[in-house]
Amino acid sequence: MNRSSLLVVVQRYGDVSGGAEAHARSVVQRLASHFAIEVATTNSTDYLTWRGDLTAGLDRVDGVTVRRFPVERPRAWNFKLYERRAFRSRHTLDDERAFIDAQGPYAPELLDFLFKRGRDYDHVLFFTYIYYPTVLGLPLVPERAVLVPTAHEESAIGLAAYKPVFHAPRAIAYNTEEERRMVWRRFRNERVSNEIVGVGIDVPAERNATRFREKHGITGPYVLYVGRIGVSKGSRELFANYERWRASDPAHDVSLVLIGDAEMTVPRTGGIVHLGRLGEQDKWDALAGCAAFVMPSLLESLSLVTLEAWAAGRPVIVDARSPVLAGMARRAGAGLAYRGPAEFAEICELLIDDAALGDRLGRSGAEFVARTYTWPRVVETYVDLFAEIRMRLAA
Amino acid sequence: MRILVVVQRYGAEVVGGSESHARVVAQRLAMVNEVEVATTNALDYWSWAPHFPEGESMDGPVRVRRFPVTGTRSPTFKDAERHVLFEPHTLADEQAWLAMQGPHTPGLLEFLRDEGKGYDAILFYTYIYEPTAAGLPLVPERAALISTAHDEEPLRLVPYRALFQLPRAFGFLTPEERDLVHARFHNSHIPSEILGIGLEPPPWHDPEPFREHYAPRGPLVLYLGQVSEGKAVDELLADWNRYRAAGGTGSLVLAGTARMQIPKQDDIVPLGRVSDEEKYALLEAADALVLPSHLESLGIVLLEAWQVGTPCLVSAKNKVTSGQVMRAAGGASYGPGGFAAALAAVLADRDRLGASGRAYAERECTWPAFDARLEQLVDLVAN
C-alpha cells in the first residue's frame, strides 16, 4: 500500500517535558502505522532558553525519522522587554514580529525546509500556535496544513500576527469545545474546517490504591495533584487554599498529595506530601485512591491528567475561572468548580463526607473520557481530516 | 454597511486596470453604503513617488485615506525580481522581494490592524502589492480579495501561498481567473463571485463619417488600445499583412497611443488617442474589433464593442478574452495562421454575432447587473 506522507512540526520533540510536546509525540506514535511520517523540530529540549543541546540533523525517536534544525540564537535574554513592547495597546507590527523572533525557537533552516520541501508531504501537522516554527512555517504550506493550536487565553493570542495561523490552515484540530469557542470568538474563523480531536487516554488494566498508600506511607483520605508544581500552574493558590481550609477545619484530616517536579518551594505545612516525579503505574495507583483530583491551573487548553483522573473514575476539583476546565467539568458532569478559598473548602468537605457523590461524579467522568478521548476515535478523526485535504489537493 | 476598499493607488488620474476597477467599485458601493478607501499617496507604480497629499480627502461620496509610501522602489528591484523568479534562492529572498516591490506603507498596515474591525467588509485590490499581501492577513475575517491574477511568475512566490487561503471571499474579474486561482491554490471551497465590470451607456456618437470614409475600401477592422508589442500589435500587423497578401481587402485602424513603429501603408491607419465619442463612433462603424493581446485580465474593449453591436476577434492564446467571446457568442478567436479565416467568418456573420454580443453586454454590464454581483460579494464577507 502506498501510504500518504505526513510531516509533523513541533518546537521540541523527544524526551522533553511539556504538554503540547507530549501530545505531539503520542499522536505521532498512533499515526505512524497509517502514514509515512516524519517530524521537523529543533535541536533544543529547553523552552526557556532554546539552548541547542541536541545534535542538529537526522534523528530517530520511537522509530520515526526526526529532522532537527538548529536554533540559531537562544531566547533573547531581554525577552520580557519584547513581550512588554508587543503587548502594549499601542504597538507596531514590527514589535509583533520582533516578539515572535525573540520568543523563538529561532530556527530559520526549519522554515527554509518547509519552503522548499514542505509540498513534498501530503499533509503537514503543526503543534502549538504560538511559536516561531508554526507562526512562520504554517503560511508556507497552508493548503496541506492542519493546526493543533493548544490555545488558551493569554496576551500573545491577541496579536495580529497570529490571525493567519488560525485562518490559513486547511483544518484545525481543537482539544476541547471550550478551546474552539474561545478561538472562534477571537478570530471569527468558523469557516475553517475543524474537529474536536485531543488525545486518547490509555487506562492501565490494573490500578491499586493500597499499593500506592503502602509504598509512600500515606494513610487517610487525600486530595491529589499531578503535574508541574509552579506559579503558572496555580500551585501557590492551591497551597494557600489548602492551608486555610485545614486551619479553619482541623476535623478533616485530609492530605494534599503532589506528584511532579517542583519549580517553586513546596510549603512544609502538615498534610502536604510532595512525592516528586513518579512512574506511570504509581500515578494511576495514586489516582485510583484519591478522594478527588484537584487542578488549580487557569491556563490549560487540555489537561491530560484531568482526563486521566476521570478515566480512573475520580471526581475533579477545578478553578471556576479556568474556562476550559470548568466547562469540561460541567459538560462531563464530573467535577466541581470553586470561586475562592471558601468554596474550595466546602467542595473538599463535601467530597470527603459524601463518598458516594465522589464515586458518582467519577463514573460520569470515566464515561465522558470513553466517549471523546480514546485513541481509536482520535486516529480516525485525523485520518478523515487528512483525507479531506488530499481530496482538495487532487481536485 | 461600512465598507473599506484597499488599493495601492487611487484617483481619477491613476492609470491601471485594477485601480480603475477599484474606483468604480468604491463609487458604486457608495450609493448605498458608507465607503472609504485606504491607499497611498503615489500616482505611478514604478517609483511610488509621492504625488497626492497624505491624509483624508473626498472623491465624491467616498472618503479617501492616503498613507505615505516610505522609500521609493529600489533601483535593484528588477535584479532581485529576476533572482527570485528565475534563479535558485532562499525563503528570505522571496520575502524581501515583496518589500522591495513596494509600495511600503506601514501607516496603512497599522491602520488596518487598529481600525479594520470598524468595517463590515474590506475589499482588497490586486494580490501582488504589499498593501494587500501584508494587509489582508491582518483582517482575514472580514476580507474579500479581488485578486486580478493572471498566469504570471510572481503568483508562485511565497507571500501569496497563504494570502489566497485567507479571505472570506474572492471577487474575480472572469471565470478564467477563478479557474486559474482554484487550480493553483486548491481553494475552491472559499466562496467567490465573478464581478466582471459595469459600463456607462455609450455617449452620443456618430459612426457615419467613419463608415463613409472607410467603406469604399472594404471592411474596417479596428484595434483600440495601446499600440505596443506588449499588447501583441506587432503580431496583429503581421497577420494583417498576410491577410492582405492573400487578397484580403479593407483597412486596419489603430486607435490609441503608439509605443512602437507602425509601417507606413495605405491600409494601416494610426489615429493616435481618440475621444470617448470618437471611440464609440469607431467601434460602431467598424466591421470587427480585433484584440490580439495575450495578457488581458478583462477585455473591457470587447464589452464596449458589443455595446454598439460590433463583433470581436481575439487571440486564442488569451484564455480570458477567448472565454468572453465564447460566452457572448459575439465573435471568434484565432490561433496562429488563423487570422484571415476567422476574420472572414466574423464578417460573413457580422449582424448575428454583433446582436449576440449586444445582448450579452446588456445582460452582464449594465449597472444594475454589476451592482447585484457586488452586493453578493459584500454579503459573502459581512455577517
Side-chain angles (χ1 to χ4, degrees):
Chain A
M1 190 182 80
N2 201 354
R3 289 185 304 171
S4 322
S5 56
L6 169 63
L7 180 69
V8 174
V9 178
V10 61
Q11 61 274 8
R12 299 180 292 156
Y13 194 80
D15 294 319
V16 297
S17 63
E21 291 83 350
H23 184 175
R25 186 172 174 182
S26 62
V27 167
V28 166
Q29 288 167 339
R30 300 293 168 152
L31 293 180
S33 59
H34 295 78
F35 299 94
I37 198 165
E38 291 186 1
V39 175
T41 187
T42 66
N43 64 336
S44 179
T45 62
D46 180 359
Y47 78 101
L48 293 173
T49 64
W50 302 121
R51 196 160 34 88
D53 48 4
L54 301 174
T55 311
L58 285 181
D59 191 3
R60 276 184 98 72
V61 175
D62 309 321
V64 169
T65 297
V66 176
R67 300 172 179 274
R68 295 194 185 279
F69 295 91
V71 178
E72 287 189 9
R73 54 178 189 238
R75 180 176 280 194
W77 62 272
N78 53 353
F79 170 58
K80 288 279 168 206
L81 174 70
Y82 288 99
E83 233 177 16
R84 259 202 312 280
R85 279 193 193 138
F87 296 167
R88 274 190 309 223
S89 62
R90 280 276 152 196
H91 66 268
T92 65
L93 292 165
D94 286 342
D95 291 336
E96 294 196 7
R97 178 60 203 255
F99 159 79
I100 284 161
D101 284 354
Q103 175 182 243
Y106 186 80
E109 284 187 28
L110 170 51
L111 299 186
D112 248 319
F113 177 77
L114 285 169
F115 168 57
K116 298 208 167 98
R117 301 274 315 279
R119 294 192 279 200
D120 297 346
Y121 299 88
D122 293 312
H123 337 89
V124 186
L125 178 61
F126 289 87
F127 275 90
T128 308
Y129 81 95
I130 200 169
Y131 291 116
Y132 176 102
T134 296
V135 197
L136 301 175
L138 192 149
L140 304 174
V141 285
E143 74 289 345
R144 61 199 68 233
V146 175
L147 171 70
V148 181
T150 65
H152 49 76
E153 281 295 351
E154 57 189 327
S155 304
I157 204 168
L159 300 184
Y162 289 111
K163 284 193 180 182
V165 180
F166 287 92
H167 279 270
R170 205 39 112 229
I172 299 181
Y174 293 104
N175 275 335
T176 62
E177 299 260 5
E178 287 73 18
E179 182 195 22
R180 176 166 70 182
R181 199 173 313 131
M182 186 271 287
V183 168
W184 280 358
R185 195 180 60 240
R186 257 187 188 285
F187 292 98
R188 310 258 35 122
N189 64 338
E190 292 89 339
R191 70 190 177 88
V192 179
S193 219
N194 66 86
E195 292 287 344
I196 308 292
V197 186
V199 292
I201 299 297
D202 287 319
V203 189
E206 198 227 341
R207 306 187 292 276
N208 189 331
T210 313
R211 180 168 59 199
F212 172 74
R213 287 177 181 284
E214 283 170 1
K215 187 167 170 187
H216 299 284
I218 291 165
T219 55
Y222 62 93
V223 172
L224 179 69
Y225 170 79
V226 179
R228 207 146 46 80
I229 298 158
V231 176
S232 68
K233 292 287 172 183
S235 305
R236 196 151 58 191
E237 272 188 296
L238 173 63
F239 296 142
N241 284 336
Y242 175 77
E243 285 166 355
R244 281 176 67 165
W245 169 43
R246 293 304 317 284
S248 66
D249 176 24
H252 281 100
D253 188 12
V254 179
S255 334
L256 173 62
V257 174
L258 309 166
I259 296 175
D261 291 330
E263 293 174 354
M264 61 180 286
T265 313
V266 176
R268 301 181 163 279
T269 318
I272 297 185
V273 184
H274 180 210
L275 298 178
R277 196 191 288 205
L278 297 182
E280 276 293 293
Q281 188 62 53
D282 259 353
K283 177 183 75 182
W284 285 99
D285 288 350
L287 284 168
C290 69
F293 181 82
V294 58
M295 178 44 80
S297 173
L298 299 183
L299 303 175
E300 294 291 333
S301 97
L302 180 69
S303 166
L304 280 187
V305 67
T306 301
L307 296 176
E308 289 173 343
W310 280 330
R314 301 315 302 152
V316 171
I317 303 173
V318 299
D319 191 312
R321 290 171 300 167
S322 165
V324 170
L325 291 170
M328 287 180 82
R330 191 177 52 245
R331 281 191 293 124
L336 299 169
Y338 58 90
R339 288 184 188 280
E343 285 187 16
F344 177 84
E346 271 175 53
I347 288 170
C348 289
E349 281 165 31
L350 185 65
L351 290 173
I352 298 291
D353 294 343
D354 186 352
L357 171 65
D359 292 345
R360 206 158 59 237
L361 291 172
R363 262 199 308 281
S364 174
E367 284 160 16
F368 172 75
V369 170
R371 222 165 30 239
T372 314
Y373 294 100
T374 66
W375 280 117
R377 196 197 63 85
V378 168
V379 169
E380 188 187 327
T381 311
Y382 273 117
V383 166
D384 288 351
L385 283 177
F386 291 141
E388 192 184 319
I389 287 182
R390 289 198 304 282
M391 213 174 64
R392 286 221 185 114
L393 286 175
Chain B
M1 202 108 66
R2 232 177 141 228
I3 300 170
L4 181 68
V5 176
V6 178
V7 61
Q8 61 275 7
R9 298 178 294 145
Y10 183 88
E13 56 271 65
V14 169
V15 179
S18 52
E19 289 85 350
S20 308
H21 200 271
R23 185 154 178 263
V24 167
V25 162
Q27 297 292 336
R28 295 305 301 179
L29 286 172
M31 296 194 302
V32 284
N33 299 280
E34 189 189 333
V35 176
E36 297 186 359
V37 168
T39 187
T40 69
N41 57 346
L43 176 65
D44 73 71
Y45 67 90
W46 50 92
S47 76
W48 304 116
H51 170 84
F52 300 99
E54 291 167 30
E56 292 182 27
S57 58
M58 298 301 291
D59 176 28
V62 174
R63 180 177 303 279
V64 181
R65 299 170 181 275
R66 294 191 186 277
F67 296 88
V69 177
T70 62
T72 55
R73 186 178 276 190
S74 158
T76 58
F77 171 66
K78 281 289 160 196
D79 295 333
E81 182 166 77
R82 194 172 48 248
H83 181 59
V84 299
L85 292 181
F86 305 112
E87 298 165 5
H89 60 273
T90 66
L91 170 61
D93 292 337
E94 285 197 19
Q95 287 164 336
W97 168 87
L98 181 70
M100 285 179 89
Q101 175 186 234
H104 187 53
T105 49
L108 195 162
L109 300 180
E110 313 236 322
F111 171 78
L112 283 171
R113 187 200 52 185
D114 295 337
E115 307 298 333
K117 56 188 162 306
Y119 299 93
D120 298 299
I122 305 184
L123 276 46
F124 285 88
Y125 263 89
T126 310
Y127 79 91
I128 202 166
Y129 293 114
E130 200 186 69
T132 294
L136 193 152
L138 300 171
V139 287
E141 72 285 351
R142 61 198 73 236
L145 176 56
I146 295 139
S147 45
T148 67
H150 34 154
D151 196 356
E152 54 186 348
E153 291 294 331
L155 196 57
R156 298 169 209 284
L157 296 180
V158 75
Y160 310 121
R161 289 188 188 180
L163 178 66
F164 280 84
Q165 309 298 337
L166 288 173
R168 280 291 269 259
F170 280 95
F172 295 116
L173 295 187
T174 62
E176 288 75 20
E177 184 195 1
R178 177 195 59 200
D179 296 347
L180 166 71
V181 166
H182 286 175
R184 184 65 59 82
F185 296 101
H186 307 285
N187 58 354
S188 61
H189 57 291
I190 300 177
S192 63
E193 183 69 24
I194 310 285
L195 290 179
I197 187 64
L199 296 176
E200 292 290 344
W204 180 90
H205 59 276
D206 181 7
E208 280 316 313
F210 286 118
R211 271 196 192 124
E212 282 166 18
H213 181 74
Y214 290 102
R217 309 178 208 178
L220 164 52
V221 177
L222 176 66
Y223 171 83
L224 192 95
Q226 192 191 81
V227 181
S228 69
E229 277 117 356
K231 297 283 183 183
V233 175
D234 51 336
E235 290 176 26
L236 171 61
L237 292 174
D239 278 331
W240 176 259
N241 284 334
R242 270 195 295 275
Y243 158 78
R244 292 281 290 156
T249 59
S251 313
L252 175 63
V253 173
L254 307 172
T257 312
R259 292 264 163 79
M260 61 180 283
Q261 284 291 325
I262 301 165
K264 296 200 186 317
Q265 288 174 223
D266 289 348
D267 57 330
I268 298 179
V269 188
L271 293 183
R273 282 194 70 157
V274 296
S275 70
D276 220 29
E277 290 77 11
E278 286 172 315
K279 177 176 88 175
Y280 276 101
L282 278 166
L283 282 169
E284 190 166 342
D287 292 281
L289 175 88
V290 58
L291 183 59
S293 169
H294 306 166
L295 286 174
E296 292 295 317
S297 47
L298 177 65
I300 292 178
V301 69
L302 305 179
L303 302 170
E304 292 169 336
W306 290 328
Q307 279 185 301
V308 293
T310 297
C312 302
L313 264 172
V314 298
S315 163
K317 283 188 192 150
N318 186 329
K319 284 186 192 158
V320 170
T321 52
S322 334
Q324 284 182 270
V325 164
M326 198 186 65
R327 283 188 290 282
S333 57
Y334 59 92
F339 176 78
L343 177 59
V346 166
L347 294 176
D349 208 6
R350 183 186 187 279
D351 291 349
R352 196 183 58 82
L353 294 171
S356 171
R358 186 196 294 267
Y360 176 81
E362 279 166 7
R363 202 163 62 237
E364 299 288 328
C365 303
T366 56
W367 288 123
F370 182 65
D371 291 344
R373 297 192 297 264
L374 260 186
E375 195 183 320
Q376 279 285 335
L377 176 67
V378 170
D379 282 350
L380 288 174
V381 177
N383 63 52

